[in-house]
Short mmCIF file of all heavy atoms in Angstrom, two decimals:
data_model
loop_
_atom_site.label_atom_id
_atom_site.label_comp_id
_atom_site.label_asym_id
_atom_site.label_seq_id
_atom_site.Cartn_x
_atom_site.Cartn_y
_atom_site.Cartn_z
N GLY A 1 82.66 85.42 99.19
CA GLY A 1 83.80 85.86 98.50
C GLY A 1 85.09 85.19 98.93
O GLY A 1 86.07 85.10 98.20
N HIS A 2 85.01 84.61 100.12
CA HIS A 2 86.17 83.90 100.70
C HIS A 2 86.29 82.56 99.91
O HIS A 2 85.32 82.01 99.35
CB HIS A 2 85.96 83.55 102.15
CG HIS A 2 87.05 83.01 102.92
ND1 HIS A 2 87.22 81.63 102.99
CD2 HIS A 2 88.06 83.54 103.60
CE1 HIS A 2 88.38 81.40 103.68
NE2 HIS A 2 88.84 82.60 104.08
N ALA A 3 87.48 81.97 99.98
CA ALA A 3 87.77 80.70 99.27
C ALA A 3 86.86 79.56 99.71
O ALA A 3 86.67 78.65 98.96
CB ALA A 3 89.24 80.32 99.49
N THR A 4 86.32 79.64 100.96
CA THR A 4 85.48 78.57 101.48
C THR A 4 83.96 78.74 101.16
O THR A 4 83.17 77.93 101.47
CB THR A 4 85.57 78.46 102.96
OG1 THR A 4 85.20 79.70 103.59
CG2 THR A 4 87.00 78.10 103.35
N SER A 5 83.62 79.91 100.49
CA SER A 5 82.28 80.17 100.17
C SER A 5 81.93 79.79 98.72
O SER A 5 82.83 79.40 98.00
CB SER A 5 81.96 81.61 100.38
OG SER A 5 82.48 82.41 99.31
N GLU A 6 80.64 79.86 98.36
CA GLU A 6 80.24 79.57 97.01
C GLU A 6 80.71 80.62 96.02
O GLU A 6 80.66 80.38 94.85
CB GLU A 6 78.67 79.42 96.92
CG GLU A 6 77.90 80.67 97.10
CD GLU A 6 77.35 80.79 98.52
OE1 GLU A 6 78.02 80.45 99.49
OE2 GLU A 6 76.19 81.36 98.63
N LEU A 7 81.23 81.74 96.50
CA LEU A 7 81.77 82.80 95.67
C LEU A 7 83.21 82.97 96.07
O LEU A 7 83.57 83.72 97.02
CB LEU A 7 81.00 84.08 95.88
CG LEU A 7 81.53 85.36 95.08
CD1 LEU A 7 81.42 85.16 93.61
CD2 LEU A 7 80.74 86.58 95.54
N ASP A 8 84.14 82.40 95.33
CA ASP A 8 85.59 82.46 95.69
C ASP A 8 86.28 83.52 94.81
O ASP A 8 86.63 83.27 93.68
CB ASP A 8 86.18 81.11 95.46
CG ASP A 8 87.70 81.04 95.77
OD1 ASP A 8 88.21 82.09 96.27
OD2 ASP A 8 88.32 80.05 95.46
N VAL A 9 86.29 84.77 95.34
CA VAL A 9 86.90 85.85 94.54
C VAL A 9 88.08 86.54 95.24
O VAL A 9 88.78 87.27 94.58
CB VAL A 9 85.87 86.93 94.17
CG1 VAL A 9 84.82 86.35 93.24
CG2 VAL A 9 85.30 87.53 95.39
N TYR A 10 88.30 86.26 96.50
CA TYR A 10 89.46 86.94 97.19
C TYR A 10 90.32 85.98 98.07
O TYR A 10 91.25 86.50 98.75
CB TYR A 10 88.99 88.16 97.91
CG TYR A 10 88.10 87.94 99.14
CD1 TYR A 10 88.65 87.38 100.34
CD2 TYR A 10 86.76 88.27 99.14
CE1 TYR A 10 87.83 87.23 101.42
CE2 TYR A 10 85.98 88.05 100.20
CZ TYR A 10 86.49 87.54 101.36
OH TYR A 10 85.69 87.39 102.47
N GLY A 11 90.11 84.73 98.07
CA GLY A 11 90.93 83.90 98.89
C GLY A 11 90.77 84.13 100.36
O GLY A 11 89.62 84.14 100.86
N ASP A 12 91.86 84.34 101.10
CA ASP A 12 91.76 84.54 102.60
C ASP A 12 91.87 86.01 102.93
O ASP A 12 91.41 86.38 104.05
CB ASP A 12 92.91 83.78 103.28
CG ASP A 12 92.73 82.27 103.09
OD1 ASP A 12 91.64 81.80 103.11
OD2 ASP A 12 93.84 81.62 102.89
N THR A 13 92.39 86.86 102.06
CA THR A 13 92.61 88.30 102.34
C THR A 13 91.51 89.05 101.70
O THR A 13 91.35 89.04 100.42
CB THR A 13 93.96 88.79 101.93
OG1 THR A 13 94.95 88.04 102.70
CG2 THR A 13 94.12 90.29 102.32
N PHE A 14 90.66 89.73 102.42
CA PHE A 14 89.55 90.47 101.86
C PHE A 14 90.04 91.50 100.87
O PHE A 14 90.90 92.41 101.17
CB PHE A 14 88.76 91.21 102.95
CG PHE A 14 87.53 91.91 102.44
CD1 PHE A 14 86.51 91.29 101.84
CD2 PHE A 14 87.46 93.32 102.67
CE1 PHE A 14 85.35 91.93 101.36
CE2 PHE A 14 86.27 93.98 102.19
CZ PHE A 14 85.24 93.30 101.58
N ASP A 15 89.48 91.49 99.63
CA ASP A 15 89.90 92.42 98.56
C ASP A 15 88.58 93.19 98.21
O ASP A 15 87.73 92.70 97.44
CB ASP A 15 90.36 91.64 97.33
CG ASP A 15 90.88 92.56 96.21
OD1 ASP A 15 90.42 93.75 96.22
OD2 ASP A 15 91.68 92.16 95.39
N PRO A 16 88.39 94.40 98.75
CA PRO A 16 87.26 95.14 98.51
C PRO A 16 87.00 95.55 97.08
O PRO A 16 85.89 95.70 96.57
CB PRO A 16 87.33 96.43 99.39
CG PRO A 16 88.80 96.48 99.73
CD PRO A 16 89.38 95.13 99.64
N SER A 17 88.05 95.70 96.29
CA SER A 17 88.01 96.14 94.94
C SER A 17 87.31 95.01 94.10
O SER A 17 86.38 95.25 93.34
CB SER A 17 89.30 96.51 94.35
OG SER A 17 89.28 96.81 92.97
N VAL A 18 87.79 93.84 94.25
CA VAL A 18 87.22 92.70 93.54
C VAL A 18 85.79 92.40 94.03
O VAL A 18 84.87 92.25 93.25
CB VAL A 18 88.08 91.41 93.71
CG1 VAL A 18 87.43 90.21 93.09
CG2 VAL A 18 89.43 91.68 93.02
N LEU A 19 85.66 92.40 95.33
CA LEU A 19 84.32 92.04 95.96
C LEU A 19 83.29 93.06 95.51
O LEU A 19 82.18 92.70 95.26
CB LEU A 19 84.49 92.04 97.46
CG LEU A 19 83.32 91.56 98.31
CD1 LEU A 19 82.21 92.47 98.42
CD2 LEU A 19 82.82 90.16 97.72
N SER A 20 83.68 94.34 95.45
CA SER A 20 82.75 95.40 95.03
C SER A 20 82.23 95.30 93.67
O SER A 20 81.17 95.85 93.36
CB SER A 20 83.47 96.77 95.30
OG SER A 20 82.57 97.82 95.15
N SER A 21 82.97 94.57 92.77
CA SER A 21 82.57 94.44 91.42
C SER A 21 81.68 93.19 91.26
O SER A 21 81.05 93.03 90.23
CB SER A 21 83.78 94.22 90.52
OG SER A 21 84.63 95.34 90.61
N SER A 22 81.57 92.31 92.27
CA SER A 22 80.82 91.05 92.16
C SER A 22 79.32 91.31 92.44
O SER A 22 78.97 91.53 93.57
CB SER A 22 81.42 90.03 93.06
OG SER A 22 80.60 88.94 93.17
N THR A 23 78.53 91.17 91.46
CA THR A 23 77.11 91.37 91.70
C THR A 23 76.53 90.19 92.58
O THR A 23 75.47 90.32 93.22
CB THR A 23 76.32 91.37 90.35
OG1 THR A 23 76.61 90.27 89.57
CG2 THR A 23 76.68 92.69 89.64
N ARG A 24 77.25 89.06 92.53
CA ARG A 24 76.71 87.88 93.33
C ARG A 24 76.91 88.17 94.83
O ARG A 24 76.24 87.57 95.66
CB ARG A 24 77.41 86.63 92.88
CG ARG A 24 76.83 85.36 93.64
CD ARG A 24 77.35 84.07 93.07
NE ARG A 24 76.84 82.95 93.82
CZ ARG A 24 77.08 81.69 93.50
NH1 ARG A 24 77.84 81.38 92.46
NH2 ARG A 24 76.57 80.75 94.25
N ALA A 25 77.83 89.11 95.22
CA ALA A 25 78.01 89.46 96.60
C ALA A 25 76.71 89.98 97.19
O ALA A 25 76.62 90.10 98.44
CB ALA A 25 79.17 90.44 96.69
N THR A 26 75.78 90.45 96.38
CA THR A 26 74.55 90.95 96.90
C THR A 26 73.69 89.85 97.51
O THR A 26 72.67 90.16 98.18
CB THR A 26 73.68 91.61 95.79
OG1 THR A 26 73.42 90.62 94.75
CG2 THR A 26 74.48 92.81 95.16
N ARG A 27 74.05 88.62 97.35
CA ARG A 27 73.36 87.46 97.96
C ARG A 27 73.76 87.32 99.41
O ARG A 27 73.16 86.40 100.09
CB ARG A 27 73.63 86.18 97.21
CG ARG A 27 73.14 86.16 95.76
CD ARG A 27 71.64 86.41 95.66
NE ARG A 27 70.96 85.38 96.43
CZ ARG A 27 69.78 85.50 96.98
NH1 ARG A 27 69.18 86.70 96.91
NH2 ARG A 27 69.16 84.48 97.51
N ALA A 28 74.60 88.20 99.97
CA ALA A 28 74.93 88.13 101.36
C ALA A 28 73.70 88.46 102.18
O ALA A 28 72.83 89.24 101.75
CB ALA A 28 76.10 89.12 101.66
N ASP A 29 73.64 87.97 103.38
CA ASP A 29 72.59 88.30 104.30
C ASP A 29 72.86 89.53 105.11
O ASP A 29 71.95 90.11 105.72
CB ASP A 29 72.36 87.13 105.30
CG ASP A 29 71.92 85.87 104.61
OD1 ASP A 29 70.90 85.93 103.86
OD2 ASP A 29 72.60 84.80 104.74
N GLY A 30 74.14 89.97 105.09
CA GLY A 30 74.56 91.18 105.82
C GLY A 30 76.06 91.26 105.74
O GLY A 30 76.66 90.72 104.83
N PHE A 31 76.62 92.02 106.61
CA PHE A 31 78.03 92.19 106.65
C PHE A 31 78.61 92.44 108.04
O PHE A 31 77.89 92.72 108.95
CB PHE A 31 78.46 93.39 105.72
CG PHE A 31 77.77 94.69 106.09
CD1 PHE A 31 78.34 95.47 107.10
CD2 PHE A 31 76.64 95.10 105.49
CE1 PHE A 31 77.68 96.65 107.50
CE2 PHE A 31 75.97 96.30 105.85
CZ PHE A 31 76.52 97.09 106.82
N VAL A 32 79.93 92.21 108.16
CA VAL A 32 80.62 92.43 109.37
C VAL A 32 81.53 93.70 109.16
O VAL A 32 82.30 93.76 108.22
CB VAL A 32 81.52 91.21 109.77
CG1 VAL A 32 82.34 91.57 111.05
CG2 VAL A 32 80.69 90.02 110.04
N LEU A 33 81.34 94.68 110.07
CA LEU A 33 82.22 95.80 110.02
C LEU A 33 83.43 95.56 110.91
O LEU A 33 83.31 95.29 112.10
CB LEU A 33 81.49 97.07 110.54
CG LEU A 33 80.58 97.86 109.54
CD1 LEU A 33 79.93 99.00 110.31
CD2 LEU A 33 81.42 98.40 108.39
N THR A 34 84.63 95.62 110.34
CA THR A 34 85.86 95.33 111.11
C THR A 34 87.00 96.13 110.54
O THR A 34 87.06 96.39 109.35
CB THR A 34 86.09 93.80 111.03
OG1 THR A 34 87.38 93.53 111.75
CG2 THR A 34 86.27 93.30 109.63
N GLU A 35 87.92 96.47 111.41
CA GLU A 35 89.20 97.09 110.96
C GLU A 35 90.29 96.08 110.89
O GLU A 35 91.29 96.41 110.22
CB GLU A 35 89.52 98.21 111.97
CG GLU A 35 88.52 99.30 112.03
CD GLU A 35 89.01 100.44 112.96
OE1 GLU A 35 90.16 100.39 113.41
OE2 GLU A 35 88.23 101.39 113.23
N ASP A 36 90.16 94.94 111.49
CA ASP A 36 91.27 94.01 111.58
C ASP A 36 90.99 92.62 110.98
O ASP A 36 91.88 91.75 111.05
CB ASP A 36 91.67 93.79 113.04
CG ASP A 36 91.91 95.12 113.72
OD1 ASP A 36 92.68 95.95 113.21
OD2 ASP A 36 91.40 95.35 114.81
N GLY A 37 89.85 92.38 110.38
CA GLY A 37 89.52 91.07 109.98
C GLY A 37 89.00 90.22 111.23
O GLY A 37 88.74 90.74 112.27
N PHE A 38 88.93 88.93 111.05
CA PHE A 38 88.52 88.05 112.14
C PHE A 38 89.01 86.63 111.94
O PHE A 38 89.43 86.27 110.83
CB PHE A 38 86.99 88.06 112.29
CG PHE A 38 86.24 87.95 110.97
CD1 PHE A 38 86.02 86.69 110.39
CD2 PHE A 38 85.64 89.03 110.46
CE1 PHE A 38 85.32 86.59 109.23
CE2 PHE A 38 84.89 88.92 109.26
CZ PHE A 38 84.76 87.71 108.63
N GLU A 39 88.97 85.87 113.06
CA GLU A 39 89.47 84.52 112.98
C GLU A 39 88.37 83.48 113.03
O GLU A 39 87.31 83.83 113.64
CB GLU A 39 90.37 84.22 114.24
CG GLU A 39 91.72 85.05 114.24
CD GLU A 39 92.49 84.77 115.47
OE1 GLU A 39 92.05 83.99 116.30
OE2 GLU A 39 93.72 85.30 115.52
N GLN A 40 88.54 82.40 112.39
CA GLN A 40 87.57 81.26 112.43
C GLN A 40 87.25 80.94 113.85
O GLN A 40 88.14 80.79 114.67
CB GLN A 40 88.04 80.08 111.66
CG GLN A 40 87.11 78.95 111.56
CD GLN A 40 87.59 77.77 110.78
OE1 GLN A 40 88.74 77.81 110.35
NE2 GLN A 40 86.78 76.74 110.62
N GLY A 41 85.98 80.86 114.13
CA GLY A 41 85.49 80.43 115.53
C GLY A 41 85.24 81.64 116.43
O GLY A 41 84.66 81.47 117.54
N SER A 42 85.69 82.83 116.08
CA SER A 42 85.50 83.98 116.87
C SER A 42 84.06 84.50 116.68
O SER A 42 83.36 84.16 115.69
CB SER A 42 86.44 85.06 116.51
OG SER A 42 86.22 85.56 115.18
N THR A 43 83.59 85.25 117.66
CA THR A 43 82.23 85.88 117.59
C THR A 43 82.29 87.19 116.80
O THR A 43 83.14 88.01 117.11
CB THR A 43 81.60 86.05 118.99
OG1 THR A 43 81.48 84.73 119.58
CG2 THR A 43 80.19 86.70 118.84
N VAL A 44 81.47 87.33 115.79
CA VAL A 44 81.46 88.57 114.96
C VAL A 44 80.07 89.17 115.10
O VAL A 44 79.05 88.46 115.30
CB VAL A 44 81.88 88.30 113.55
CG1 VAL A 44 83.32 88.00 113.42
CG2 VAL A 44 80.99 87.24 112.92
N ASP A 45 79.99 90.49 114.98
CA ASP A 45 78.73 91.19 114.92
C ASP A 45 78.27 91.42 113.49
O ASP A 45 78.96 92.10 112.72
CB ASP A 45 78.86 92.58 115.66
CG ASP A 45 79.11 92.36 117.13
OD1 ASP A 45 78.55 91.41 117.73
OD2 ASP A 45 79.94 93.11 117.72
N VAL A 46 77.13 90.83 113.14
CA VAL A 46 76.66 90.93 111.78
C VAL A 46 75.54 91.93 111.65
O VAL A 46 74.59 91.91 112.44
CB VAL A 46 76.16 89.50 111.25
CG1 VAL A 46 75.61 89.69 109.83
CG2 VAL A 46 77.28 88.49 111.39
N THR A 47 75.64 92.88 110.79
CA THR A 47 74.57 93.77 110.49
C THR A 47 73.77 93.23 109.38
O THR A 47 74.21 93.14 108.18
CB THR A 47 75.04 95.22 110.06
OG1 THR A 47 75.80 95.83 111.15
CG2 THR A 47 73.93 96.12 109.71
N PRO A 48 72.51 92.80 109.65
CA PRO A 48 71.66 92.17 108.53
C PRO A 48 71.26 93.33 107.52
O PRO A 48 71.04 94.46 107.98
CB PRO A 48 70.43 91.68 109.22
CG PRO A 48 70.85 91.58 110.70
CD PRO A 48 71.85 92.69 110.91
#
């Protein structure tokens, strides 16, 4: 859903409303639970 992915629907700021409507978002392998977002290169915990 990020601008750098094959599904560009929210740019750099996560938009749950738009993302939630995208059926292609189901092609994700999992998700990251976060309250603050994350930075490129940081380690994130992915729930498959």
Side-chain angles (χ1 to χ4, degrees):
H2 188 272
T4 59
S5 76
E6 68 261 38
L7 175 66
D8 179 6
V9 294
Y10 65 74
D12 296 322
T13 300
F14 183 61
D15 186 335
S17 178
V18 172
L19 191 284
S20 189
S21 301
S22 168
T23 56
R24 187 171 177 176
T26 59
R27 297 300 299 152
D29 297 306
F31 55 83
V32 175
L33 276 177
T34 176
E35 295 183 9
D36 306 309
F38 45 78
E39 295 181 353
Q40 182 178 3
S42 64
T43 299
V44 292
D45 294 322
V46 179
T47 298

